[in-house]
Amino acid sequence: MRVDGRGLVDRTRPVRFSFDGRFYEGYQGDTLASALLANGVRLFGRSFKYHRPRGVFTAGSEEPNALVTVGRGAEQTPNIRATVQEIFAGLEARSQNRWPSLKYDLLAANDVLSPFLSAGFYYKTFMWPRSFWEKLYEPLIRRAAGLGALSGAPDRGVYDTAWANCDVLVVGAGPAGLSAALTAARSGLDVLLVDENPAPGGRLTGEDELIDGAPATDWVADVAAQLAGLKNVRVMCRTTVTGVFDHGTFSALQRSATHVPDPGDAPLEVFWRIVAKACVLCTGALERPIAFPGNDRPGVMLAGAVRRYLHQYGVAAGTRVAVFTNSDDGRKTADDLRAAGVDVVALVETRAGVKPGPDHPTFVGSTVTATRGRLGLREIRVEGAGGSQWIKADCLAVSGGWNPTLHLASHTGARPVWNAAIASFVPSPGALLGFEVAGAAAGVFSTKGAIKSGRYRAKLILEGLGAKVPRQGSVEADDTPPSAVAFWQVPAKGRAWIDLQNDVTVKDVELAARENYASAEHMKRYTTLGMAPDQGKSSNVLAMAVLAAQTGRSIAQTGTTTFRPPYSPVAIGAMGANGKGRRFAAERLTPSHQAALDRGAPMVEVGLWLRPSYFPRTGETTWRQSCDREVAMVRKAVGVSDVSTLGKIEVHGKNAAQFLDFVYTNKMSSLKVGRARYGLMLREDGFVMDDGTCARIGRDRYVLTTTTAAAGAVMAHLEFVQQVLRPDWDLRLLSATDHWAQLAVTGPAALETVNHLLDQPISREELPFMGHRQAQIGGVDGRIFRISFSGELGFELAVPARFGDSLFRLAVAHAETLGGGAYGMEALNVLRLEKGFLTHAEINGRVTADDLGLGRMLSPDKDFVGKRMATRPGLVAARREQLVGLRPVGAVKALSAGARLFEPGAGICHENMQGAVTSAAFSPTLGHFIGLALLEGGRNRMGETIRVLERLRGLDTLCEVVSPVFFDPDGGRMRG
Amino acid sequence: MRIKCPLCGERDLREFTYRGAALPRPAPDAPDEAWDAYLHLRDNPAGPTRDLWHHRAGCSAWLVVRRDTATHEIFGVELATRSRAVRA
Amino acid sequence: MRYSGFKVLVQGLTGNRGWAPVWRTPDPRPAYDIVIIGGGGHGLSTAFYLAKTHGLRNIAVLEKGYLGGGNIGRNTTIVRADYSLPGNSEFYSHSLKLWEGLERELNFNVMHSQRGVIRLFHSDGQRDHYVFAGNAIANRGDGAELLDQDGLRRLVPYLDYDNARFPILGGLLHRRGGTARHDAVAWGYARGADGLGVDLVQNCEVTGIDIRNGAVTGVQTGRGPIRARKVAIVVAGRSSQVAAMAGLRLPIESHVLQAFVTEGLKPVVNHVISFGMGHFYISQSDKGGLVFGGDLDFYASYAQRGNLARQEQVMEAAMTLMPMIGKARVLRSWGGIMDMTPDGSPIIDKTPVDGLFLNAGWCYGGFKAVPASGEAFAHLIATGRPHPVARRFRLDRFRSGHLIDEEGAGSQHNLH
């Protein structure tokens, strides 16, 4: 019901929205909860386990009950707190976790069965028969569990991320936060004030209080205006600081467009990373409930929330309101409602010695011991010394005191401490450098206290940062001391809820204690208390108190649970905004990327690179046709391939040769200028890290290539060796991978194509195998290397990357005149396989140089990285798997990588596996499948027949063990 | 986490990669125990430690960071080229 | 007290007043035959099998905090046996068989759910690697199937097949893989061990290990000295510190691994899915929360909390893989301490100190190992000989070079 003359909502701007298909009207400034309460709606949802009817319990983000689904189709968003969601024209909300309807929910049967569904019942049953768990029990439980539902469609919402930097971050814009922010702002420092609500004010917008004799909201407006006038201040509302991380890093979620009908291209939510030199935490306090039988019915609410609905939204949460409290703070609810003309039917005071309120029917020394009302509160039973009576009420405002909102203060590990003077946990003081807690969050609950606390804590921060502290005048406001007497639970028969959301009752906690799940963590995990979407914001402390009473310990001994980020839930879509679709990782494109696309090449991923898989020609319908043709092209004419993705590292300096001798297993110091050498690098643990070529381009200048996959790791490794192991050497390292376009031109006719591209033609004799030189290529300064990864006469031409596209097009066009053309990754792989050249399929991180047949490359004359550990017994054992070639000799001709090797006739079991195929392909040159494999003792088993079994695709092939070099074993084609 | 690179200033964690304890490489002819200790065995303290980081997405400097593994507090950062922690 | 559906019914009708404590709260006695340091999953299962299989009773488990408070209570609950290499392969295969009988063994429903683990591949090379792994799984009889994209779409239609940065080409399905309720595993073993007479002593921190003439004689604790003929260290997340009490330096570096859970949702993800390119894995708990995780935070840490950069990266992987969960909200994140070894595989072995045994270095594979780890460790402690499925998990294998390096990542601890 709206109350005339109250509230901050804009009564001139009605807003139409719907809930469960019915249309309602609220006002601009309403939340879904306040607007529905104003329309007399009390039933908002069903509880998790017993499907009990539930209504609004709070007026903030800590809400445990009123969770709804907003939007439809792909926009459907489950588990939205009705107490936070602002209404807008066309807002469509639905209740959840009920079937067929909110009023008649079949699973409410669980409530009747609740004696059998007590805490942890599922650990004790559903064990027989075994196969029924996956088939029957678990599906039933899964279907019943969960709250809202995802749409199942991809989230097309727009989200963004951002960074903010500031000197002082103030979290929370209540009386403490506003005061802290203004104090810090006046010092001239950069201040960021963040608050989860749509406007600043915090608790003051939900109370009827005076500051300096005027309404508190005037004070809020005044401070907000002062802050707005300062350039060094930024105020972010609708923004929740969700996490505190190391060294002044914070995460925050800004709900930038979830409150408007059509956000257009604006992000719904922005995920902020905030870096602050210091922080004042002014997050206020959360009111705590009292456990009493039947305390979960719609209409039972926290007293502070009832006040907020009245003062902020102009809504009376009921027509006949009762108040149940242990403090003056709770009594204020009765006074405020009465002042607004709302019928207060009972003030139930747990305290015996206090005076009855003059204006209300007061029951001192009394408690509420039962409630009635199926879908909403109808009456309450009040019991005291004078007996008991049922009183009709449709709203019961409950207050058991306040708990400081200390979650953020605990995110970096500081444990809250129990403060007996205010019967609350408070943040442990001074736990974090540059981090202060002020106001109610620190247990300073009164308005005047909060303002002073905010100023004082800001002052400490300013002093710490060496900033000047501004002078401020005194302020007059409410200064009621907090209640020091806690009241947790009513000792009466019946189910009294602690965690409303997960349906955990006092009985469940008692059961946990009885079964000796008596530590706080055991109780929590056994009963699931505090694990629902509200993370126990209103229930945790109460639960500790109940458990403490059960186990005869104090609350301080019982302890609190650990708070972890996020403070309130964050959409995966917002936090992962940068991962959507292809944004997840960078794409690296080769210089010839467009040229390859122009030729219709499909792309494959190699690391972060996109490389052409093959270059289809008219009439080719499968990749194999293209691949076979490209292989034949290279073997018979000339092929062109962009190999720019290979890592290219330049090493310069007086100690360059010495350095390379140290990082390669073989010697590079003996290399002559103008020559290149195949090189092998080990990790320090003695296994092979990478292979590549090393070319000496000057006395103190080398350029190395690495494999595409290992380029980054090798560069980091070389930098490690340079800076950590050999810091005194004269060395410069440069990653030049992106600077150069490099084309492989290979095949019997390669020289013709190369000479077509070079300004000065060369001969085989002028540039022998493994030679290189500077060259003018199409008028551009470049390099030419005579190296081959195909086994044919081969050259690699390097030009600055910007000329790569032209060079590729020219080279391919010329190759085509010779019956050649471009070839892709598939053909490249077959070509290298025919020659037994290695890739990271073989260099798998577990092989030694000797395993690969490269043992002779370990120079005995010098120290090098990995040398010592390569001699460990396990690395030189006789039974190690060694690289061999495989050739099918039986009826089945196909081979697949990943297949395992067995002796023919041996049983097929794990113990009998003798190795595996590392790479396999059809060789069009040889006309059959070939494979490289790692086989136990393989080099001594040439000519043996081995069974190659790939069980996932049912390939069972008999192969002969052969040399890994299938084609042109003496290398005459590439050397000649 | 934020690390103050001696060359670049304070930067977010995401610019750095971690390697492990900052230890000197044994001599090539050091006993097996020394090599085992260098590559595998770790004090692994729950407290102050010295480890190697690489400012990989920054200036490429290898850094020796003195920090606390229990609190994440950082006491100091120096260039590995100038650090005695990795010298034999 | 035996648990059953009937018992639940009877107790429900009588106010649930008759449930007995799941375990006692004994004070530590001055001496035991065997003291197990660490009341986590592995320590509790070790105690259980020592009592059950080897008939030993004079055993104490000493736990610094509460039972099951370590990594068994903070993981993503995945159970699988899909390793490739000798050593791991037979061990996890054996563990899976134990999982399949665990409810009956413990008379405690650990909710072991064999809903299938799918590892996605995004390139031919990755496919080949999974064929390699899949054949190891198949040759052990643990079930592996290679799914092409069509086959995968039928099982998990909601992946972003068309837009994902790394195209989803197919997956390796391990049907016997799945999940289990993590706390229940710890509690089930604890209850079982307690029922067989093992003393489970909580809030009892070990502060020293007594050694005389190269042999262990007992431990010092916050609750006084305790003599023991054998002492077993099984304290993931604190292995190096406890081993140091015996003068040992371990091949372990401890790292943080974060995990996340969303608010409860109606069922949408019915398998365990692992995204190879993004270090991301996800399943949905029976309560409805999406449970997922990513890679290590990468730096040595005991802080049990993660960094923001890794959190974002995990969410980004989620979004590129399955944008269907974009509107699911992360409720809670946590960090466990992973004891990383230089080859990514664990250690179950004697130590150079007589009577002192070590079970450590589970990296992030510890949860699924709990049954076999306990059984193998119990076997070693009771008989002095390694269990056949754990004989390769030697402490000296790094020095000797007999490594079990599934990733081929080498001796840098955090790369596994």
Side-chain angles (χ1 to χ4, degrees):
Chain A
M1 269 50 58
R2 290 286 171 190
V3 180
D4 286 339
R6 301 274 166 168
L8 309 171
V9 297
D10 188 348
R11 304 255 180 142
T12 66
R13 294 171 66 193
V15 174
R16 213 168 122 81
F17 66 98
S18 76
F19 177 61
D20 272 346
R22 251 190 87 176
F23 285 88
Y24 298 92
E25 201 171 86
Y27 297 110
Q28 190 66 39
D30 262 326
T31 62
L32 188 58
S34 70
L36 285 172
L37 282 174
N39 281 281
V41 174
R42 286 195 296 165
L43 180 60
F44 278 70
R46 292 276 175 169
S47 67
F48 177 76
K49 187 169 168 186
Y50 302 135
H51 287 245
R52 300 262 300 179
R54 291 289 165 77
V56 171
F57 191 65
T58 72
S61 61
E62 71 274 25
E63 175 62 28
N65 281 342
L67 270 55
V68 300
T69 298
V70 167
R72 63 164 54 237
E75 306 305 312
Q76 167 178 324
T77 311
N79 301 342
I80 293 286
R81 281 92 182 132
T83 48
V84 171
Q85 177 65 52
E86 297 167 61
I87 58 166
F88 52 81
L91 170 72
E92 194 179 333
R94 275 168 294 145
S95 57
Q96 52 188 37
N97 199 31
R98 80 292 184 271
W99 190 84
S101 75
L102 186 54
K103 273 190 180 160
Y104 305 99
D105 177 11
L106 280 182
L107 274 176
N110 284 359
D111 198 30
V112 182
L113 298 174
S114 65
F116 312 111
L117 308 181
S118 59
F121 76 98
Y122 31 77
Y123 299 127
K124 301 167 180 166
T125 181
F126 301 137
M127 286 180 275
W128 187 90
R130 201 196 118 63
S131 64
F132 273 37
W133 175 252
E134 280 94 349
K135 290 196 183 111
L136 178 69
Y137 305 131
E138 188 179 48
L140 281 177
I141 291 174
R142 282 171 78 81
R143 218 165 301 156
L147 289 165
L150 292 171
S151 70
D155 182 5
R156 300 285 176 224
V158 180
Y159 303 94
D160 209 347
T161 60
W163 286 91
N165 290 272
C166 61
D167 293 320
V168 183
L169 170 68
V170 180
V171 185
L178 286 168
S179 305
L182 191 59
T183 305
R186 284 187 177 150
S187 75
L189 295 180
D190 278 334
V191 177
L192 180 58
L193 174 62
V194 178
D195 191 278
E196 64 174 342
N197 296 301
R203 200 172 57 80
L204 297 177
T205 55
E207 300 282 7
D208 187 15
E209 280 189 20
L210 299 178
I211 296 180
D212 290 337
T217 46
D218 290 359
W219 180 85
V220 171
D222 176 54
V223 176
Q226 290 187 54
L227 291 172
L230 292 167
K231 281 192 183 134
N232 54 327
V233 182
R234 187 165 169 195
V235 182
M236 287 168 64
C237 287
R238 294 190 180 91
T239 304
T240 307
V241 172
T242 54
V244 181
F245 299 87
D246 291 311
H247 310 148
T249 307
F250 299 78
S251 61
L253 184 74
Q254 182 179 32
R255 293 175 301 282
S256 39
T258 55
H259 60 293
V260 296
D262 178 17
D265 294 333
L268 289 171
E269 294 177 325
V270 179
F271 185 76
W272 288 86
R273 304 86 151 207
I274 299 168
V275 180
K277 291 195 181 112
C279 172
V280 194
L281 210 58
C282 309
T283 44
L286 296 170
E287 197 164 20
R288 61 191 181 209
I290 296 171
F292 58 92
N295 61 341
D296 72 324
R297 293 187 199 282
V300 179
M301 298 170 71
L302 288 173
V306 171
R307 293 206 298 278
R308 182 173 289 280
Y309 285 113
L310 178 66
H311 298 305
Q312 183 172 350
Y313 303 104
V315 172
T319 52
R320 293 171 55 83
V321 184
V323 177
F324 178 27
T325 184
N326 69 331
S327 69
D328 293 345
D329 191 60
R331 291 178 81 133
K332 196 160 68 177
T333 311
D335 296 341
D336 287 7
L337 287 166
R338 170 60 51 95
V342 180
D343 196 4
V344 177
V345 294
L347 171 59
V348 184
E349 261 278 12
T350 61
R351 296 177 293 185
V354 294
K355 283 188 186 155
D359 306 324
H360 321 291
T362 310
F363 302 82
V364 296
S366 299
T367 55
V368 178
T369 56
T371 66
R372 284 181 186 150
R374 193 177 76 84
L375 295 176
L377 186 68
R378 213 171 59 235
E379 49 189 340
I380 60 171
R381 187 172 67 197
V382 178
E383 264 186 67
S388 79
Q389 58 176 297
W390 284 95
I391 297 170
K392 288 207 178 317
D394 57 2
C395 174
L396 176 63
V398 181
S399 177
W402 294 82
N403 294 320
T405 310
L406 41 70
H407 306 65
L408 294 177
S410 316
H411 279 182
T412 48
R415 287 265 170 181
V417 292
W418 180 254
N419 181 336
I422 56 169
S424 290
F425 284 104
V426 293
S428 68
L432 269 174
L433 212 60
F435 204 103
E436 295 287 343
V437 187
V444 184
F445 293 121
S446 77
T447 302
K448 182 170 180 176
I451 292 172
K452 284 169 66 178
S453 166
R455 290 176 172 182
Y456 174 68
R457 295 290 155 185
K459 178 176 146 242
L460 293 182
I461 291 280
L462 296 183
E463 286 167 356
L465 294 176
K468 70 176 191 334
V469 179
R471 290 158 60 92
Q472 292 179 84
S474 66
V475 66
E476 264 325 303
D478 171 67
D479 205 12
T480 314
S483 165
V485 187
F487 187 89
W488 304 105
Q489 55 177 325
V490 176
K493 260 178 87 86
R495 279 184 294 165
W497 269 261
I498 300 174
D499 183 332
L500 290 164
Q501 210 157 26
N502 262 356
D503 274 329
V504 181
T505 64
V506 171
K507 278 185 180 177
D508 291 316
V509 175
E510 287 171 0
L511 178 63
R514 193 179 312 136
E515 295 191 79
N516 209 8
Y517 294 102
S519 71
E521 280 289 335
H522 281 151
M523 180 278 287
K524 190 188 84 167
R525 288 161 181 264
Y526 189 59
T527 63
T528 75
L529 185 135
M531 293 179 169
D534 72 338
Q535 288 284 283
K537 289 199 178 68
S538 6
S539 61
N540 268 336
V541 180
L542 171 56
M544 288 308 130
V546 172
L547 182 63
Q550 271 300 311
T551 53
R553 294 173 294 192
S554 70
I555 295 176
Q557 285 168 334
T558 305
T560 175
T561 50
T562 319
F563 297 107
R564 300 194 184 276
Y567 171 70
S568 54
V570 181
I572 292 172
M575 208 166 170
N578 294 330
K580 239 175 158 184
R582 302 194 67 81
R583 291 169 71 182
F584 176 64
E587 282 179 344
R588 300 182 76 179
L589 305 182
T590 61
S592 66
H593 185 73
Q594 190 55 49
L597 289 181
D598 290 349
R599 288 173 178 271
M603 292 290 165
V604 292
E605 307 272 338
V606 185
L608 295 177
W609 292 96
L610 298 182
R611 298 186 70 180
S613 182
Y614 53 93
F615 292 85
R617 287 195 183 163
T618 317
E620 292 171 351
T621 53
T622 68
W623 68 268
R624 259 289 298 281
Q625 289 173 325
S626 306
C627 173
D628 288 356
R629 190 248 313 142
E630 288 171 14
V631 171
M633 216 170 65
V634 172
R635 293 274 177 244
K636 289 175 185 153
V638 55
V640 177
S641 173
D642 187 335
V643 293
S644 309
T645 62
L646 294 180
K648 296 178 276 297
I649 299 169
E650 300 215 1
V651 180
H652 298 185
K654 289 196 180 71
N655 298 104
Q658 220 174 338
F659 176 75
L660 294 172
D661 278 351
F662 186 53
V663 295
Y664 281 112
T665 62
N666 46 337
K667 263 198 180 157
M668 295 300 172
S669 54
S670 57
L671 195 61
K672 293 191 169 57
V673 176
R675 300 290 295 170
R677 188 171 283 167
Y678 176 70
L680 195 66
M681 289 186 194
L682 304 187
R683 298 185 307 229
E684 192 72 279
D685 67 357
F687 292 96
V688 178
M689 178 165 69
D690 200 36
D691 67 349
T693 58
C694 174
R696 191 168 200 168
I697 55 176
R699 200 177 72 88
D700 296 331
R701 300 180 65 169
Y702 290 79
V703 56
L704 340 175
T705 62
T706 74
T707 57
T708 300
V714 170
M715 185 66 194
H717 170 70
L718 296 184
E719 283 168 344
F720 173 83
V721 174
Q722 176 201 17
Q723 296 176 41
V724 182
L725 302 185
R726 295 294 182 261
D728 301 329
W729 283 1
D730 177 54
L731 279 174
R732 258 108 28 234
L733 302 180
L734 173 74
S735 168
T737 306
D738 293 319
H739 304 49
W740 294 92
Q742 199 148 319
L743 290 195
V745 180
T746 184
L751 191 60
E752 276 183 64
T753 297
V754 165
N755 277 337
H756 174 75
L757 299 167
L758 293 179
D759 295 3
Q760 296 289 325
I762 52 158
S763 66
R764 290 178 188 233
E765 293 71 32
E766 284 169 308
L767 191 64
F769 182 60
M770 297 306 270
H772 64 88
R773 57 163 63 185
Q774 300 287 318
Q776 288 275 310
I777 305 167
V780 173
D781 281 334
R783 293 172 184 158
I784 180 166
F785 301 85
R786 186 161 162 207
I787 46 185
S788 172
F789 197 53
S790 69
E792 298 298 329
L793 172 66
F795 300 90
E796 290 190 7
L797 300 175
V799 291
R802 63 186 182 280
F803 300 112
D805 179 82
S806 315
L807 185 65
F808 182 83
R809 289 175 195 271
L810 285 172
V812 172
H814 186 265
E816 282 172 350
T817 66
L818 302 174
Y823 65 100
M825 290 299 292
E826 295 291 352
L828 190 146
N829 188 49
V830 173
L831 290 162
R832 70 96 188 169
L833 206 48
E834 289 175 341
K835 286 293 297 175
F837 292 150
L838 306 174
T839 68
H840 278 272
E842 286 74 40
I843 303 175
N844 62 15
R846 295 187 293 269
V847 293
T848 66
D850 185 65
D851 296 345
L852 298 172
L854 302 173
R856 65 187 184 284
M857 288 183 72
L858 308 184
S859 167
D861 310 332
K862 61 183 181 93
D863 184 24
F864 56 84
V865 173
K867 183 174 191 178
R868 179 57 187 270
M869 295 312 259
T871 62
R872 285 183 285 173
L875 277 72
V876 296
R879 293 278 295 165
R880 286 192 65 86
E881 294 176 0
Q882 294 170 330
L883 188 75
V884 296
L886 295 178
R887 191 170 63 84
V889 292
V892 178
K893 299 298 182 194
L895 272 180
S896 158
R900 298 297 185 130
L901 312 182
F902 296 88
E903 298 261 21
I908 301 306
C909 63
H910 201 266
E911 289 68 22
N912 288 341
M913 297 194 300
Q914 297 200 334
V917 178
T918 55
S919 308
F922 178 79
S923 162
T925 314
L926 303 173
H928 57 77
F929 267 89
I930 55 174
L932 291 180
L934 289 164
L935 171 66
E936 278 181 18
R939 276 203 297 279
N940 290 323
R941 299 173 68 175
M942 295 297 155
E944 276 186 33
T945 303
I946 204 95
R947 185 174 172 192
V948 181
L949 189 57
E950 202 288 82
R951 296 182 64 177
L952 308 188
R953 288 169 295 193
L955 275 180
D956 191 349
T957 314
L958 283 178
C959 286
E960 184 191 348
V961 179
V962 297
S963 154
V965 187
F966 293 91
F967 181 69
D968 188 29
D970 60 7
R973 293 174 74 94
M974 67 181 180
R975 291 170 199 277
Chain B
M1 194 177 269
R2 295 176 70 78
I3 295 173
K4 196 166 182 180
C5 171
L7 302 179
C8 308
E10 186 188 285
R11 299 296 178 92
D12 190 83
L13 172 77
R14 46 198 105 193
E15 294 188 9
F16 300 87
T17 53
Y18 174 86
R19 169 135 178 158
L23 301 168
R25 184 178 190 262
D29 55 355
D32 289 352
E33 289 79 9
W35 279 92
D36 187 32
Y38 174 59
L39 273 185
H40 307 126
L41 305 183
R42 294 293 176 261
D43 289 340
N44 195 25
T49 190
R50 260 191 317 207
D51 42 30
L52 275 164
W53 295 69
H54 187 204
H55 196 186
R56 195 160 172 181
C59 62
S60 289
W62 279 91
L63 309 173
V64 173
V65 178
R66 284 188 303 117
R67 64 185 187 99
D68 190 308
T69 59
T71 64
H72 290 174
E73 186 182 349
I74 292 179
F75 309 117
V77 183
E78 59 180 340
L79 294 172
T81 51
R82 292 178 195 167
S83 170
R84 292 167 64 178
V86 291
R87 302 286 165 269
Chain C
M1 171 180 256
R2 229 189 132 64
Y3 291 155
S4 67
F6 179 70
K7 194 69 66 63
V8 168
L9 210 62
V10 171
Q11 285 294 327
L13 292 170
T14 55
N16 285 308
R17 305 216 151 264
W19 292 113
V22 279
W23 47 69
R24 298 163 291 129
T25 308
D27 286 321
R29 285 186 269 133
Y32 291 92
D33 289 341
I34 300 169
V35 159
I36 296 170
I37 309 174
H42 294 248
L44 292 167
S45 69
T46 301
F48 175 79
Y49 290 110
L50 276 170
K52 173 97 193 224
T53 311
H54 302 279
L56 303 170
R57 293 291 187 271
N58 190 18
I59 302 167
V61 175
L62 308 183
E63 167 54 48
K64 177 172 74 167
Y66 58 96
L67 297 175
N71 288 339
I72 186 112
R74 52 187 96 239
N75 59 71
T76 46
T77 79
I78 300 168
V79 174
R80 56 187 166 86
D82 54 359
Y83 285 74
S84 302
L85 300 182
N88 284 332
S89 186
E90 61 265 31
F91 177 84
Y92 287 103
S93 176
H94 182 66
S95 203
L96 184 58
K97 289 187 187 83
L98 294 178
W99 276 106
E100 287 169 341
L102 204 54
E103 269 105 8
R104 275 163 300 169
E105 176 89 307
L106 299 177
N107 177 233
F108 202 91
N109 189 354
V110 300
M111 302 184 200
H112 180 220
S113 165
Q114 295 184 292
R115 57 184 70 171
V117 173
I118 302 173
R119 287 199 268 168
L120 306 177
F121 59 79
H122 311 271
S123 67
D124 289 356
Q126 215 170 20
R127 180 203 57 214
D128 292 349
H129 180 70
Y130 286 173
V131 170
F132 175 78
N135 273 277
I137 304 167
N139 289 333
R140 278 232 161 267
D142 293 333
E145 296 160 48
L146 194 69
L147 301 173
D148 61 10
Q149 204 197 60
D150 288 342
L152 190 62
R153 273 181 197 267
R154 277 193 290 277
L155 282 186
V156 280
Y158 48 79
L159 302 180
D160 192 356
Y161 292 93
D162 304 321
N163 289 316
R165 168 66 181 85
F166 298 101
I168 301 162
L169 305 181
L172 181 69
L173 170 61
H174 171 44
R175 280 192 199 273
R176 281 170 66 206
T179 61
R181 168 89 184 111
H182 56 3
D183 288 331
V185 179
W187 300 341
Y189 274 117
R191 173 169 163 268
D194 176 86
L196 293 167
V198 174
D199 279 357
L200 308 178
V201 188
Q202 305 186 66
N203 301 308
C204 183
E205 180 170 3
V206 169
T207 54
I209 296 176
D210 299 330
I211 297 167
R212 196 176 304 153
N213 300 328
V216 76
T217 59
V219 295
Q220 298 292 321
T221 80
R223 297 169 69 173
I226 299 174
R227 280 176 286 118
R229 293 198 297 116
K230 294 176 182 177
V231 172
I233 301 175
V234 49
V235 289
R238 269 294 191 269
S239 302
S240 296
Q241 282 70 40
V242 176
M245 294 174 192
L248 303 177
R249 201 158 168 254
L250 299 183
I252 282 176
E253 193 174 87
S254 298
H255 285 261
V256 177
L257 180 71
Q258 301 195 64
F260 308 87
V261 64
T262 68
E263 297 174 341
L265 298 159
K266 294 297 176 192
V268 281
V269 175
N270 296 319
H271 302 85
V272 179
I273 296 171
S274 137
F275 172 37
M277 296 306 291
H279 290 285
F280 173 79
Y281 36 91
I282 186 168
S283 66
Q284 188 170 15
S285 78
D286 287 342
K287 278 185 66 195
L290 300 172
V291 181
F292 56 100
D295 213 336
L296 292 178
D297 276 16
F298 276 133
Y299 44 81
S301 169
Y302 288 87
Q304 286 199 333
R305 62 172 184 273
N307 69 61
L308 184 57
R310 173 64 70 226
Q311 295 192 355
E312 289 177 36
Q313 211 225 351
V314 170
M315 306 304 152
E316 287 166 7
M319 285 312 285
T320 197
L321 183 67
M322 44 172 80
M324 175 269 285
I325 63 170
K327 289 189 188 299
R329 279 191 297 263
V330 176
L331 186 56
R332 191 174 166 88
S333 63
W334 63 93
I337 302 175
M338 309 292 119
D339 285 348
M340 304 300 297
T341 62
D343 67 356
S345 296
I347 298 157
I348 300 179
D349 204 355
K350 299 176 184 176
T351 69
V353 178
D354 274 356
L356 183 67
F357 301 84
L358 178 72
N359 178 327
W362 289 95
C363 301
Y364 34 67
F367 178 66
K368 59 186 169 289
V370 164
S373 166
E375 196 189 72
F377 200 32
H379 182 93
L380 177 70
I381 296 166
T383 69
R385 293 185 306 275
H387 190 284
V389 300
R391 64 192 167 80
R392 289 179 195 255
F393 293 160
R394 292 172 62 110
L395 178 57
D396 66 0
R397 70 174 184 272
F398 307 101
R399 187 167 156 185
S400 74
H402 294 92
L403 306 166
I404 315 169
D405 186 353
E406 293 274 339
E407 300 291 326
S411 61
Q412 191 175 323
H413 301 69
N414 63 342
L415 294 185
H416 294 279

